[in-house]
Amino acid sequence: MSFTFKPLHSIFTAEAEGFDLRRPLGAEALDAVTAAMDRYAVLVFRGQDIDDDQQLAFGLNFGPLEAEPATVELHRRRLKHARMNDISNLDEQGRILAADDRRRMFNLGNRLWHSDSSFKATPSKYSLLHARVVPSAGGETEFADMRHAWDTLPAPLQARVEALVCEHSLLFSRAQLGFAEFTEAERERFAPVPQRLVRRHPGSGRRSLFLSSHIGRIVGWPVPEALMLIRDLIEHATPREAVYVHRWRVGDLVMWDNRCTLHRGRGYDDQAEARDLRRVTLMDVAPTLEQAA
Ligand code: OGA
Ligand code: MN
């Protein structure tokens, strides 16, 4: 069996060919995926007819799973595995979420540029998102490479930001959209966590900007100045020509490295059409402040 990685559109995304994710992969295949993840940061596996168990099993080859999805209304779960993220517009009965459903409002936060779980003390390593049902139009997912964003940052700005520490929280990203009605328990669960703004990607040795719309503070900075800088950096990091746009087909599995990429979802007619994607999310090794800069 031979594996190939065919670059797509931009320098950090490749299509992985020669893989059948229904079955356990051997050491050679797993090494090839790990090496490709380090070189690129987003891999696309097309035509994978896998179920939740097979998706989880594939993900677990690359590290431990995150404890639980960070979302609201956790008790109203549609998927069989508590640790799988439901990236859909469906309720626990499989019906389209009502226009004013709190989960629908909360999920809109995925349309802001972010890195998954940057708001957790130990953030995420990889995400693996698989498409089961896709709408006829829209609903793309976009990606950008934060190593490239660092490399292309003017040197004076690199010097200005390299030691900064940001606070990340789901409360901050949701507040950007005016979603602020959190329970006391949610406020506690989503309390801000500190993360380095500039980190080193262990697999490639390259530095990267650890950006996210979950950032709401820079330690030691006035809030408006902090938010302005983060906005400028996200703009710098996501020019159209540097963005890979994934147009979903049923059976696509897209795997990305949250340590060195940003992503966001795009809109679709979510009141008329179903979109059912499911995500397996792996944990990084430690909080970024405990990792080498
Ligand atoms: C995610 C995510 C965006 C989308 O699954 O982590 O942000 O396009 N998805 O659904
Ligand atoms: Mn996400």
Side-chain angles (χ1 to χ4, degrees):
M1 188 83 223
S2 76
F3 312 110
T4 55
F5 298 93
K6 193 178 72 191
L8 290 170
H9 172 66
S10 53
I11 44 163
F12 71 107
T13 306
E15 180 167 349
E17 291 169 327
F19 293 88
D20 177 355
L21 304 185
R22 290 173 302 183
R23 288 178 239 299
L25 298 186
E28 192 199 340
L30 294 175
D31 290 348
V33 172
T34 300
M37 282 298 285
D38 285 340
R39 172 172 172 195
Y40 301 99
V42 180
L43 295 181
V44 176
F45 300 78
R46 298 266 191 197
Q48 302 294 331
D49 182 17
I50 54 172
D51 61 21
D52 293 1
D53 294 331
Q54 290 162 327
Q55 186 179 346
L56 274 170
F58 176 56
L60 282 169
N61 287 307
F62 306 100
L65 272 187
E66 281 194 345
E68 64 170 20
T71 184
V72 294
E73 318 295 314
L74 266 178
H75 57 288
R76 301 171 74 181
R77 186 158 56 80
R78 183 174 68 96
L79 306 183
K80 109 177 176 194
H81 292 288
R83 288 159 82 172
M84 200 163 211
N85 288 262
D86 188 356
I87 308 295
S88 77
N89 59 334
L90 305 174
D91 71 11
E92 60 276 32
Q93 260 100 48
R95 295 170 310 208
I96 287 183
L97 290 170
D100 62 351
D101 193 293
R102 192 162 181 260
R103 290 168 288 181
R104 176 169 181 260
M105 295 298 112
F106 182 84
N107 292 343
L108 281 172
N110 275 343
R111 300 208 357 220
L112 302 172
W113 286 108
H114 65 281
S115 170
D116 288 334
S117 301
S118 71
F119 50 80
K120 292 188 178 175
T122 294
S124 149
K125 180 187 179 193
Y126 295 165
S127 289
L128 299 90
L129 187 59
H130 186 244
R132 309 293 170 87
V133 177
V134 301
S136 59
E140 303 86 354
T141 307
E142 300 185 338
F143 297 89
D145 183 352
M146 296 303 103
R147 299 168 301 185
H148 179 72
W150 169 260
D151 291 345
T152 54
L153 203 62
L157 202 45
Q158 286 184 335
R160 184 153 176 253
V161 305
E162 73 183 338
L164 296 179
V165 175
C166 300
E167 288 183 18
H168 297 235
S169 169
L170 276 167
L171 305 173
F172 294 144
S173 49
R174 271 53 191 174
Q176 288 189 43
L177 300 178
F179 183 106
E181 305 81 37
F182 289 99
T183 64
E184 256 334 289
E186 286 167 345
R187 280 181 198 284
E188 253 167 62
R189 198 152 65 86
F190 302 149
V193 301
Q195 306 288 2
R196 283 184 199 287
L197 180 56
V198 180
R199 52 192 303 201
R200 196 172 292 280
H201 180 251
S204 60
R206 296 173 63 189
R207 300 182 91 187
S208 78
L209 283 176
F210 194 42
L211 290 168
S212 203
S213 294
H214 303 307
I215 297 174
R217 308 269 183 273
I218 296 174
V219 174
W221 282 42
V223 173
E225 192 181 2
L227 293 184
M228 196 62 246
L229 175 66
I230 296 305
R231 190 178 281 226
D232 278 347
L233 290 175
I234 291 180
E235 247 177 57
H236 160 80
T238 57
R240 291 314 306 168
E241 66 277 9
V243 170
Y244 168 67
V245 181
H246 188 72
R247 299 188 166 81
W248 292 96
R249 293 182 219 154
V250 171
D252 288 353
L253 181 133
V254 178
M255 178 170 176
W256 65 87
D257 190 333
N258 285 301
R259 299 169 302 180
C260 63
T261 58
L262 281 183
H263 65 280
R264 67 172 177 183
R266 303 296 276 160
Y268 63 103
D269 189 352
D270 76 303
Q271 289 296 283
E273 290 193 274
R275 180 176 188 259
D276 182 354
L277 276 62
R278 300 175 188 202
R279 197 184 82 204
V280 166
T281 321
L282 307 182
M283 273 179 88
D284 199 358
V285 292
T288 52
L289 287 168
E290 293 171 23
Q291 298 181 36

